[in-house]
Amino acid sequence: MGGAAVVYRHAAGLARRGHTVTVVAPREGTGGTVAKARAFAVQVRDRVHRVGRLPYYEAPGVQTREVARMDAAVPGDAVIATGHQTVSWVAALPESCGAKIYFLQGDERVLDAAAGETWAAPMARIAVSTWLAETVAAAGYPVSGTVPNAVDPIDFSLDMPLHGRAPRVVALYHRHPVKSPETLVA
């Protein structure tokens, strides 16, 4: 969900600058049997944890639209794929939809070996870090630029002076091995 949070941060920033921004997301439970079973499991987990049915994220001035598949033109000046799963959708859109951009937020090959193939899609590529831009470029796909992520000082504010604290490491947890506590400690 960190990637979604970043997408909504950028979307809100574009909206503040006067752009009309719509986040288009796959509708929960679309696809094959595995996708439907996963969506059902998420619904059960959310109900157990009393998570509401509202979208995970929202931002002022940003619309969210859930679709079963993106097979219709999206009006606008640009369409941005934000994950390897959305690249084929965006690449297949007609030229009338505007610029097509792939916003790379991580080396998704650790999640899906085929994700690296999406780097070849005929669209501009922007990465969240220099190392990622270099990785993609080394594979033969130039990156137009980087838009680094940053720590939001509103969410993570300094409420105790540094000299008054014991040394600590704070990290986000994820079940995937590439972001696991074991990987962090190693």
Side-chain angles (χ1 to χ4, degrees):
M1 298 310 296
V6 169
V7 167
Y8 274 90
R9 275 297 158 97
H10 289 301
L14 290 168
R16 277 193 305 276
R17 292 185 172 141
H19 297 278
T20 301
V21 181
T22 303
V23 174
V24 179
R27 182 176 298 128
E28 214 176 283
T30 57
T33 305
V34 172
K36 289 178 182 173
R38 184 178 298 130
F40 179 74
V42 168
Q43 288 174 7
V44 170
R45 181 198 66 203
D46 286 353
R47 189 167 294 155
V48 167
H49 293 284
R50 297 187 182 113
V51 174
R53 294 288 303 147
L54 296 173
Y56 285 111
Y57 297 98
E58 49 188 30
V62 177
Q63 289 184 316
T64 299
R65 193 174 70 173
E66 290 185 352
V67 297
R69 63 184 163 278
M70 189 181 277
D71 55 4
V74 176
D77 298 320
V79 181
I80 304 169
T82 60
H84 74 279
Q85 306 91 330
T86 62
V87 171
S88 62
W89 281 12
V90 173
L93 291 171
E95 294 300 318
S96 61
C97 292
K100 298 175 186 179
I101 302 166
Y102 188 177
F103 183 53
L104 295 143
Q105 297 189 69
D107 187 347
E108 295 178 305
R109 295 176 301 177
V110 299
L111 305 172
D112 181 347
E117 296 169 18
T118 63
W119 298 347
M123 56 182 68
R125 286 165 289 283
I126 298 172
V128 297
S129 64
T130 302
W131 74 264
L132 182 57
E134 290 170 353
T135 299
V136 175
Y141 308 106
V143 174
S144 301
T146 58
V147 180
N149 293 333
V151 174
D152 187 330
I154 293 171
D155 291 338
F156 299 95
S157 60
L158 181 63
D159 56 357
M160 179 187 286
L162 292 175
H163 66 275
R165 294 192 255 172
R168 291 189 181 159
V169 173
V170 177
L172 301 177
Y173 169 80
H174 193 281
R175 288 183 301 273
H176 193 277
V178 76
K179 298 179 182 181
S180 70
E182 294 80 14
T183 300
L184 175 67
V185 170

PDB file of all heavy atoms in Angstrom, residues 30-65:
ATOM      1  N   THR A  30     -11.915  -8.759  -9.885  1.00  0.00           N
ATOM      2  CA  THR A  30     -11.995  -9.016 -11.318  1.00  0.00           C
ATOM      3  C   THR A  30     -10.848  -9.937 -11.691  1.00  0.00           C
ATOM      4  O   THR A  30      -9.824  -9.996 -11.028  1.00  0.00           O
ATOM      5  CB  THR A  30     -11.916  -7.707 -12.130  1.00  0.00           C
ATOM      6  OG1 THR A  30     -10.702  -7.040 -11.794  1.00  0.00           O
ATOM      7  CG2 THR A  30     -13.089  -6.810 -11.843  1.00  0.00           C
ATOM      8  N   GLY A  31     -11.027 -10.655 -12.743  1.00  0.00           N
ATOM      9  CA  GLY A  31      -9.987 -11.578 -13.172  1.00  0.00           C
ATOM     10  C   GLY A  31     -10.424 -13.010 -12.935  1.00  0.00           C
ATOM     11  O   GLY A  31     -11.608 -13.311 -12.810  1.00  0.00           O
ATOM     12  N   GLY A  32      -9.469 -13.889 -12.846  1.00  0.00           N
ATOM     13  CA  GLY A  32      -9.750 -15.308 -12.717  1.00  0.00           C
ATOM     14  C   GLY A  32     -10.097 -15.732 -11.298  1.00  0.00           C
ATOM     15  O   GLY A  32     -10.300 -14.912 -10.402  1.00  0.00           O
ATOM     16  N   THR A  33     -10.139 -17.030 -11.111  1.00  0.00           N
ATOM     17  CA  THR A  33     -10.524 -17.614  -9.828  1.00  0.00           C
ATOM     18  C   THR A  33      -9.584 -17.183  -8.703  1.00  0.00           C
ATOM     19  O   THR A  33     -10.033 -16.872  -7.599  1.00  0.00           O
ATOM     20  CB  THR A  33     -10.534 -19.149  -9.943  1.00  0.00           C
ATOM     21  OG1 THR A  33     -11.382 -19.510 -11.028  1.00  0.00           O
ATOM     22  CG2 THR A  33     -11.026 -19.799  -8.672  1.00  0.00           C
ATOM     23  N   VAL A  34      -8.285 -17.151  -8.984  1.00  0.00           N
ATOM     24  CA  VAL A  34      -7.323 -16.765  -7.949  1.00  0.00           C
ATOM     25  C   VAL A  34      -7.566 -15.322  -7.513  1.00  0.00           C
ATOM     26  O   VAL A  34      -7.566 -15.015  -6.317  1.00  0.00           O
ATOM     27  CB  VAL A  34      -5.873 -16.961  -8.453  1.00  0.00           C
ATOM     28  CG1 VAL A  34      -4.867 -16.394  -7.469  1.00  0.00           C
ATOM     29  CG2 VAL A  34      -5.599 -18.437  -8.707  1.00  0.00           C
ATOM     30  N   ALA A  35      -7.777 -14.409  -8.466  1.00  0.00           N
ATOM     31  CA  ALA A  35      -8.019 -12.999  -8.131  1.00  0.00           C
ATOM     32  C   ALA A  35      -9.301 -12.854  -7.314  1.00  0.00           C
ATOM     33  O   ALA A  35      -9.353 -12.077  -6.353  1.00  0.00           O
ATOM     34  CB  ALA A  35      -8.105 -12.160  -9.399  1.00  0.00           C
ATOM     35  N   LYS A  36     -10.328 -13.611  -7.676  1.00  0.00           N
ATOM     36  CA  LYS A  36     -11.594 -13.530  -6.930  1.00  0.00           C
ATOM     37  C   LYS A  36     -11.428 -14.100  -5.526  1.00  0.00           C
ATOM     38  O   LYS A  36     -11.957 -13.550  -4.562  1.00  0.00           O
ATOM     39  CB  LYS A  36     -12.695 -14.255  -7.707  1.00  0.00           C
ATOM     40  CG  LYS A  36     -13.100 -13.492  -8.950  1.00  0.00           C
ATOM     41  CD  LYS A  36     -14.149 -14.216  -9.763  1.00  0.00           C
ATOM     42  CE  LYS A  36     -14.432 -13.387 -11.003  1.00  0.00           C
ATOM     43  NZ  LYS A  36     -15.298 -14.044 -11.930  1.00  0.00           N
ATOM     44  N   ALA A  37     -10.677 -15.192  -5.391  1.00  0.00           N
ATOM     45  CA  ALA A  37     -10.437 -15.773  -4.067  1.00  0.00           C
ATOM     46  C   ALA A  37      -9.621 -14.805  -3.204  1.00  0.00           C
ATOM     47  O   ALA A  37      -9.913 -14.628  -2.019  1.00  0.00           O
ATOM     48  CB  ALA A  37      -9.709 -17.109  -4.209  1.00  0.00           C
ATOM     49  N   ARG A  38      -8.619 -14.160  -3.803  1.00  0.00           N
ATOM     50  CA  ARG A  38      -7.802 -13.191  -3.066  1.00  0.00           C
ATOM     51  C   ARG A  38      -8.670 -12.018  -2.606  1.00  0.00           C
ATOM     52  O   ARG A  38      -8.563 -11.572  -1.463  1.00  0.00           O
ATOM     53  CB  ARG A  38      -6.658 -12.693  -3.939  1.00  0.00           C
ATOM     54  CG  ARG A  38      -5.726 -11.750  -3.192  1.00  0.00           C
ATOM     55  CD  ARG A  38      -4.550 -11.294  -4.038  1.00  0.00           C
ATOM     56  NE  ARG A  38      -3.722 -12.444  -4.422  1.00  0.00           N
ATOM     57  CZ  ARG A  38      -3.332 -12.698  -5.669  1.00  0.00           C
ATOM     58  NH1 ARG A  38      -3.657 -11.901  -6.641  1.00  0.00           N
ATOM     59  NH2 ARG A  38      -2.605 -13.742  -5.924  1.00  0.00           N
ATOM     60  N   ALA A  39      -9.538 -11.518  -3.492  1.00  0.00           N
ATOM     61  CA  ALA A  39     -10.417 -10.401  -3.124  1.00  0.00           C
ATOM     62  C   ALA A  39     -11.345 -10.794  -1.983  1.00  0.00           C
ATOM     63  O   ALA A  39     -11.568 -10.014  -1.055  1.00  0.00           O
ATOM     64  CB  ALA A  39     -11.227  -9.950  -4.339  1.00  0.00           C
ATOM     65  N   PHE A  40     -11.857 -12.027  -2.012  1.00  0.00           N
ATOM     66  CA  PHE A  40     -12.725 -12.499  -0.940  1.00  0.00           C
ATOM     67  C   PHE A  40     -11.953 -12.586   0.377  1.00  0.00           C
ATOM     68  O   PHE A  40     -12.442 -12.166   1.431  1.00  0.00           O
ATOM     69  CB  PHE A  40     -13.333 -13.863  -1.300  1.00  0.00           C
ATOM     70  CG  PHE A  40     -14.216 -14.416  -0.224  1.00  0.00           C
ATOM     71  CD1 PHE A  40     -15.481 -13.874   0.001  1.00  0.00           C
ATOM     72  CD2 PHE A  40     -13.780 -15.463   0.581  1.00  0.00           C
ATOM     73  CE1 PHE A  40     -16.293 -14.373   1.010  1.00  0.00           C
ATOM     74  CE2 PHE A  40     -14.588 -15.965   1.580  1.00  0.00           C
ATOM     75  CZ  PHE A  40     -15.849 -15.419   1.800  1.00  0.00           C
ATOM     76  N   ALA A  41     -10.719 -13.104   0.321  1.00  0.00           N
ATOM     77  CA  ALA A  41      -9.896 -13.207   1.532  1.00  0.00           C
ATOM     78  C   ALA A  41      -9.616 -11.825   2.116  1.00  0.00           C
ATOM     79  O   ALA A  41      -9.650 -11.636   3.332  1.00  0.00           O
ATOM     80  CB  ALA A  41      -8.589 -13.938   1.210  1.00  0.00           C
ATOM     81  N   VAL A  42      -9.355 -10.846   1.256  1.00  0.00           N
ATOM     82  CA  VAL A  42      -9.111  -9.475   1.729  1.00  0.00           C
ATOM     83  C   VAL A  42     -10.366  -8.919   2.391  1.00  0.00           C
ATOM     84  O   VAL A  42     -10.298  -8.276   3.441  1.00  0.00           O
ATOM     85  CB  VAL A  42      -8.647  -8.566   0.565  1.00  0.00           C
ATOM     86  CG1 VAL A  42      -8.680  -7.102   0.956  1.00  0.00           C
ATOM     87  CG2 VAL A  42      -7.238  -8.976   0.122  1.00  0.00           C
ATOM     88  N   GLN A  43     -11.527  -9.177   1.797  1.00  0.00           N
ATOM     89  CA  GLN A  43     -12.792  -8.709   2.387  1.00  0.00           C
ATOM     90  C   GLN A  43     -12.996  -9.319   3.772  1.00  0.00           C
ATOM     91  O   GLN A  43     -13.404  -8.624   4.706  1.00  0.00           O
ATOM     92  CB  GLN A  43     -13.967  -9.059   1.479  1.00  0.00           C
ATOM     93  CG  GLN A  43     -14.029  -8.219   0.219  1.00  0.00           C
ATOM     94  CD  GLN A  43     -15.129  -8.696  -0.717  1.00  0.00           C
ATOM     95  OE1 GLN A  43     -15.925  -9.570  -0.379  1.00  0.00           O
ATOM     96  NE2 GLN A  43     -15.167  -8.118  -1.909  1.00  0.00           N
ATOM     97  N   VAL A  44     -12.724 -10.607   3.917  1.00  0.00           N
ATOM     98  CA  VAL A  44     -12.872 -11.277   5.216  1.00  0.00           C
ATOM     99  C   VAL A  44     -11.895 -10.666   6.224  1.00  0.00           C
ATOM    100  O   VAL A  44     -12.282 -10.317   7.343  1.00  0.00           O
ATOM    101  CB  VAL A  44     -12.652 -12.803   5.088  1.00  0.00           C
ATOM    102  CG1 VAL A  44     -12.559 -13.461   6.450  1.00  0.00           C
ATOM    103  CG2 VAL A  44     -13.776 -13.425   4.264  1.00  0.00           C
ATOM    104  N   ARG A  45     -10.640 -10.524   5.817  1.00  0.00           N
ATOM    105  CA  ARG A  45      -9.637  -9.931   6.710  1.00  0.00           C
ATOM    106  C   ARG A  45     -10.053  -8.524   7.127  1.00  0.00           C
ATOM    107  O   ARG A  45      -9.983  -8.162   8.294  1.00  0.00           O
ATOM    108  CB  ARG A  45      -8.275  -9.884   6.019  1.00  0.00           C
ATOM    109  CG  ARG A  45      -7.179  -9.296   6.920  1.00  0.00           C
ATOM    110  CD  ARG A  45      -5.973  -8.844   6.154  1.00  0.00           C
ATOM    111  NE  ARG A  45      -6.349  -7.716   5.312  1.00  0.00           N
ATOM    112  CZ  ARG A  45      -5.696  -7.355   4.215  1.00  0.00           C
ATOM    113  NH1 ARG A  45      -4.667  -8.026   3.817  1.00  0.00           N
ATOM    114  NH2 ARG A  45      -6.087  -6.320   3.509  1.00  0.00           N
ATOM    115  N   ASP A  46     -10.514  -7.720   6.167  1.00  0.00           N
ATOM    116  CA  ASP A  46     -10.926  -6.349   6.471  1.00  0.00           C
ATOM    117  C   ASP A  46     -12.115  -6.331   7.426  1.00  0.00           C
ATOM    118  O   ASP A  46     -12.178  -5.498   8.332  1.00  0.00           O
ATOM    119  CB  ASP A  46     -11.264  -5.586   5.193  1.00  0.00           C
ATOM    120  CG  ASP A  46     -10.028  -5.209   4.390  1.00  0.00           C
ATOM    121  OD1 ASP A  46      -8.905  -5.420   4.896  1.00  0.00           O
ATOM    122  OD2 ASP A  46     -10.186  -4.711   3.263  1.00  0.00           O
ATOM    123  N   ARG A  47     -13.035  -7.248   7.247  1.00  0.00           N
ATOM    124  CA  ARG A  47     -14.197  -7.298   8.146  1.00  0.00           C
ATOM    125  C   ARG A  47     -13.762  -7.673   9.552  1.00  0.00           C
ATOM    126  O   ARG A  47     -14.205  -7.081  10.534  1.00  0.00           O
ATOM    127  CB  ARG A  47     -15.232  -8.289   7.620  1.00  0.00           C
ATOM    128  CG  ARG A  47     -16.538  -8.207   8.401  1.00  0.00           C
ATOM    129  CD  ARG A  47     -17.668  -8.943   7.727  1.00  0.00           C
ATOM    130  NE  ARG A  47     -17.990  -8.267   6.481  1.00  0.00           N
ATOM    131  CZ  ARG A  47     -18.558  -8.858   5.444  1.00  0.00           C
ATOM    132  NH1 ARG A  47     -18.877 -10.118   5.498  1.00  0.00           N
ATOM    133  NH2 ARG A  47     -18.817  -8.192   4.341  1.00  0.00           N
ATOM    134  N   VAL A  48     -12.854  -8.645   9.674  1.00  0.00           N
ATOM    135  CA  VAL A  48     -12.349  -9.058  10.989  1.00  0.00           C
ATOM    136  C   VAL A  48     -11.655  -7.890  11.690  1.00  0.00           C
ATOM    137  O   VAL A  48     -11.819  -7.677  12.883  1.00  0.00           O
ATOM    138  CB  VAL A  48     -11.385 -10.265  10.855  1.00  0.00           C
ATOM    139  CG1 VAL A  48     -10.614 -10.507  12.142  1.00  0.00           C
ATOM    140  CG2 VAL A  48     -12.160 -11.509  10.441  1.00  0.00           C
ATOM    141  N   HIS A  49     -10.905  -7.105  10.912  1.00  0.00           N
ATOM    142  CA  HIS A  49     -10.159  -5.970  11.478  1.00  0.00           C
ATOM    143  C   HIS A  49     -10.968  -4.672  11.465  1.00  0.00           C
ATOM    144  O   HIS A  49     -10.426  -3.612  11.770  1.00  0.00           O
ATOM    145  CB  HIS A  49      -8.840  -5.776  10.739  1.00  0.00           C
ATOM    146  CG  HIS A  49      -7.876  -6.896  10.962  1.00  0.00           C
ATOM    147  ND1 HIS A  49      -7.171  -7.043  12.132  1.00  0.00           N
ATOM    148  CD2 HIS A  49      -7.523  -7.944  10.174  1.00  0.00           C
ATOM    149  CE1 HIS A  49      -6.416  -8.122  12.050  1.00  0.00           C
ATOM    150  NE2 HIS A  49      -6.612  -8.688  10.882  1.00  0.00           N
ATOM    151  N   ARG A  50     -12.234  -4.783  11.121  1.00  0.00           N
ATOM    152  CA  ARG A  50     -13.172  -3.641  11.091  1.00  0.00           C
ATOM    153  C   ARG A  50     -12.694  -2.512  10.180  1.00  0.00           C
ATOM    154  O   ARG A  50     -12.781  -1.335  10.516  1.00  0.00           O
ATOM    155  CB  ARG A  50     -13.410  -3.122  12.507  1.00  0.00           C
ATOM    156  CG  ARG A  50     -14.068  -4.155  13.389  1.00  0.00           C
ATOM    157  CD  ARG A  50     -14.439  -3.548  14.737  1.00  0.00           C
ATOM    158  NE  ARG A  50     -15.026  -4.583  15.569  1.00  0.00           N
ATOM    159  CZ  ARG A  50     -14.456  -5.048  16.663  1.00  0.00           C
ATOM    160  NH1 ARG A  50     -13.314  -4.572  17.079  1.00  0.00           N
ATOM    161  NH2 ARG A  50     -15.045  -5.999  17.358  1.00  0.00           N
ATOM    162  N   VAL A  51     -12.171  -2.907   9.027  1.00  0.00           N
ATOM    163  CA  VAL A  51     -11.770  -1.924   8.015  1.00  0.00           C
ATOM    164  C   VAL A  51     -12.999  -1.635   7.163  1.00  0.00           C
ATOM    165  O   VAL A  51     -13.666  -2.544   6.689  1.00  0.00           O
ATOM    166  CB  VAL A  51     -10.622  -2.477   7.131  1.00  0.00           C
ATOM    167  CG1 VAL A  51     -10.312  -1.520   5.994  1.00  0.00           C
ATOM    168  CG2 VAL A  51      -9.401  -2.748   7.982  1.00  0.00           C
ATOM    169  N   GLY A  52     -13.286  -0.371   6.934  1.00  0.00           N
ATOM    170  CA  GLY A  52     -14.454   0.015   6.155  1.00  0.00           C
ATOM    171  C   GLY A  52     -14.296  -0.298   4.679  1.00  0.00           C
ATOM    172  O   GLY A  52     -13.234  -0.720   4.219  1.00  0.00           O
ATOM    173  N   ARG A  53     -15.325  -0.087   3.914  1.00  0.00           N
ATOM    174  CA  ARG A  53     -15.315  -0.377   2.484  1.00  0.00           C
ATOM    175  C   ARG A  53     -14.886   0.825   1.652  1.00  0.00           C
ATOM    176  O   ARG A  53     -14.908   0.784   0.436  1.00  0.00           O
ATOM    177  CB  ARG A  53     -16.708  -0.834   2.024  1.00  0.00           C
ATOM    178  CG  ARG A  53     -17.143  -2.155   2.599  1.00  0.00           C
ATOM    179  CD  ARG A  53     -16.395  -3.340   2.027  1.00  0.00           C
ATOM    180  NE  ARG A  53     -16.523  -3.389   0.589  1.00  0.00           N
ATOM    181  CZ  ARG A  53     -15.587  -3.837  -0.229  1.00  0.00           C
ATOM    182  NH1 ARG A  53     -14.450  -4.260   0.244  1.00  0.00           N
ATOM    183  NH2 ARG A  53     -15.767  -3.858  -1.516  1.00  0.00           N
ATOM    184  N   LEU A  54     -14.504   1.922   2.289  1.00  0.00           N
ATOM    185  CA  LEU A  54     -14.052   3.079   1.542  1.00  0.00           C
ATOM    186  C   LEU A  54     -12.713   2.759   0.883  1.00  0.00           C
ATOM    187  O   LEU A  54     -11.998   1.863   1.326  1.00  0.00           O
ATOM    188  CB  LEU A  54     -13.902   4.280   2.478  1.00  0.00           C
ATOM    189  CG  LEU A  54     -15.188   4.768   3.122  1.00  0.00           C
ATOM    190  CD1 LEU A  54     -14.883   5.854   4.148  1.00  0.00           C
ATOM    191  CD2 LEU A  54     -16.152   5.282   2.068  1.00  0.00           C
ATOM    192  N   PRO A  55     -12.343   3.510  -0.159  1.00  0.00           N
ATOM    193  CA  PRO A  55     -11.029   3.278  -0.771  1.00  0.00           C
ATOM    194  C   PRO A  55      -9.925   3.455   0.273  1.00  0.00           C
ATOM    195  O   PRO A  55     -10.070   4.213   1.227  1.00  0.00           O
ATOM    196  CB  PRO A  55     -10.931   4.376  -1.838  1.00  0.00           C
ATOM    197  CG  PRO A  55     -12.317   4.840  -2.063  1.00  0.00           C
ATOM    198  CD  PRO A  55     -13.077   4.578  -0.794  1.00  0.00           C
ATOM    199  N   TYR A  56      -8.816   2.735   0.088  1.00  0.00           N
ATOM    200  CA  TYR A  56      -7.706   2.829   1.031  1.00  0.00           C
ATOM    201  C   TYR A  56      -7.188   4.255   1.119  1.00  0.00           C
ATOM    202  O   TYR A  56      -6.769   4.712   2.154  1.00  0.00           O
ATOM    203  CB  TYR A  56      -6.551   1.914   0.611  1.00  0.00           C
ATOM    204  CG  TYR A  56      -6.832   0.465   0.895  1.00  0.00           C
ATOM    205  CD1 TYR A  56      -7.036  -0.438  -0.135  1.00  0.00           C
ATOM    206  CD2 TYR A  56      -6.894  -0.002   2.196  1.00  0.00           C
ATOM    207  CE1 TYR A  56      -7.280  -1.770   0.129  1.00  0.00           C
ATOM    208  CE2 TYR A  56      -7.143  -1.329   2.473  1.00  0.00           C
ATOM    209  CZ  TYR A  56      -7.334  -2.212   1.434  1.00  0.00           C
ATOM    210  OH  TYR A  56      -7.580  -3.518   1.690  1.00  0.00           O
ATOM    211  N   TYR A  57      -7.173   4.954  -0.010  1.00  0.00           N
ATOM    212  CA  TYR A  57      -6.635   6.299  -0.041  1.00  0.00           C
ATOM    213  C   TYR A  57      -7.597   7.212  -0.778  1.00  0.00           C
ATOM    214  O   TYR A  57      -8.341   6.776  -1.651  1.00  0.00           O
ATOM    215  CB  TYR A  57      -5.276   6.329  -0.754  1.00  0.00           C
ATOM    216  CG  TYR A  57      -4.235   5.530  -0.043  1.00  0.00           C
ATOM    217  CD1 TYR A  57      -3.927   4.243  -0.433  1.00  0.00           C
ATOM    218  CD2 TYR A  57      -3.570   6.071   1.052  1.00  0.00           C
ATOM    219  CE1 TYR A  57      -2.968   3.506   0.244  1.00  0.00           C
ATOM    220  CE2 TYR A  57      -2.618   5.340   1.737  1.00  0.00           C
ATOM    221  CZ  TYR A  57      -2.325   4.063   1.317  1.00  0.00           C
ATOM    222  OH  TYR A  57      -1.383   3.345   1.999  1.00  0.00           O
ATOM    223  N   GLU A  58      -7.534   8.462  -0.424  1.00  0.00           N
ATOM    224  CA  GLU A  58      -8.229   9.491  -1.178  1.00  0.00           C
ATOM    225  C   GLU A  58      -7.433  10.768  -0.979  1.00  0.00           C
ATOM    226  O   GLU A  58      -6.595  10.860  -0.083  1.00  0.00           O
ATOM    227  CB  GLU A  58      -9.676   9.645  -0.730  1.00  0.00           C
ATOM    228  CG  GLU A  58      -9.877   9.758   0.752  1.00  0.00           C
ATOM    229  CD  GLU A  58     -11.357   9.711   1.119  1.00  0.00           C
ATOM    230  OE1 GLU A  58     -12.147   9.080   0.411  1.00  0.00           O
ATOM    231  OE2 GLU A  58     -11.689  10.339   2.130  1.00  0.00           O
ATOM    232  N   ALA A  59      -7.663  11.719  -1.844  1.00  0.00           N
ATOM    233  CA  ALA A  59      -6.918  12.973  -1.765  1.00  0.00           C
ATOM    234  C   ALA A  59      -7.810  14.095  -2.266  1.00  0.00           C
ATOM    235  O   ALA A  59      -8.638  13.879  -3.154  1.00  0.00           O
ATOM    236  CB  ALA A  59      -5.646  12.877  -2.604  1.00  0.00           C
ATOM    237  N   PRO A  60      -7.652  15.277  -1.709  1.00  0.00           N
ATOM    238  CA  PRO A  60      -8.459  16.413  -2.146  1.00  0.00           C
ATOM    239  C   PRO A  60      -8.265  16.681  -3.641  1.00  0.00           C
ATOM    240  O   PRO A  60      -7.136  16.724  -4.128  1.00  0.00           O
ATOM    241  CB  PRO A  60      -7.924  17.588  -1.322  1.00  0.00           C
ATOM    242  CG  PRO A  60      -7.116  16.994  -0.228  1.00  0.00           C
ATOM    243  CD  PRO A  60      -6.694  15.634  -0.681  1.00  0.00           C
ATOM    244  N   GLY A  61      -9.373  16.811  -4.352  1.00  0.00           N
ATOM    245  CA  GLY A  61      -9.310  17.129  -5.775  1.00  0.00           C
ATOM    246  C   GLY A  61      -9.011  15.957  -6.674  1.00  0.00           C
ATOM    247  O   GLY A  61      -8.850  16.123  -7.875  1.00  0.00           O
ATOM    248  N   VAL A  62      -8.933  14.747  -6.116  1.00  0.00           N
ATOM    249  CA  VAL A  62      -8.593  13.554  -6.900  1.00  0.00           C
ATOM    250  C   VAL A  62      -9.786  12.606  -6.899  1.00  0.00           C
ATOM    251  O   VAL A  62     -10.307  12.266  -5.844  1.00  0.00           O
ATOM    252  CB  VAL A  62      -7.352  12.835  -6.319  1.00  0.00           C
ATOM    253  CG1 VAL A  62      -7.046  11.568  -7.094  1.00  0.00           C
ATOM    254  CG2 VAL A  62      -6.155  13.765  -6.317  1.00  0.00           C
ATOM    255  N   GLN A  63     -10.211  12.207  -8.087  1.00  0.00           N
ATOM    256  CA  GLN A  63     -11.283  11.218  -8.199  1.00  0.00           C
ATOM    257  C   GLN A  63     -10.655   9.827  -8.263  1.00  0.00           C
ATOM    258  O   GLN A  63      -9.575   9.658  -8.816  1.00  0.00           O
ATOM    259  CB  GLN A  63     -12.092  11.417  -9.480  1.00  0.00           C
ATOM    260  CG  GLN A  63     -12.972  12.622  -9.498  1.00  0.00           C
ATOM    261  CD  GLN A  63     -13.792  12.635 -10.789  1.00  0.00           C
ATOM    262  OE1 GLN A  63     -13.286  12.383 -11.865  1.00  0.00           O
ATOM    263  NE2 GLN A  63     -15.073  12.910 -10.639  1.00  0.00           N
ATOM    264  N   THR A  64     -11.355   8.845  -7.712  1.00  0.00           N
ATOM    265  CA  THR A  64     -10.927   7.456  -7.845  1.00  0.00           C
ATOM    266  C   THR A  64     -12.026   6.715  -8.581  1.00  0.00           C
ATOM    267  O   THR A  64     -13.203   6.840  -8.244  1.00  0.00           O
ATOM    268  CB  THR A  64     -10.695   6.809  -6.467  1.00  0.00           C
ATOM    269  OG1 THR A  64      -9.663   7.523  -5.792  1.00  0.00           O
ATOM    270  CG2 THR A  64     -10.292   5.347  -6.612  1.00  0.00           C
ATOM    271  N   ARG A  65     -11.634   5.971  -9.602  1.00  0.00           N
ATOM    272  CA  ARG A  65     -12.601   5.201 -10.381  1.00  0.00           C
ATOM    273  C   ARG A  65     -12.102   3.765 -10.481  1.00  0.00           C
ATOM    274  O   ARG A  65     -10.971   3.521 -10.898  1.00  0.00           O
ATOM    275  CB  ARG A  65     -12.739   5.822 -11.776  1.00  0.00           C
ATOM    276  CG  ARG A  65     -13.923   5.296 -12.547  1.00  0.00           C
ATOM    277  CD  ARG A  65     -14.080   6.043 -13.836  1.00  0.00           C
ATOM    278  NE  ARG A  65     -12.982   5.668 -14.718  1.00  0.00           N
ATOM    279  CZ  ARG A  65     -12.883   6.038 -15.972  1.00  0.00           C
ATOM    280  NH1 ARG A  65     -13.774   6.833 -16.500  1.00  0.00           N
ATOM    281  NH2 ARG A  65     -11.861   5.641 -16.709  1.00  0.00           N
TER     282      ARG A  65
END
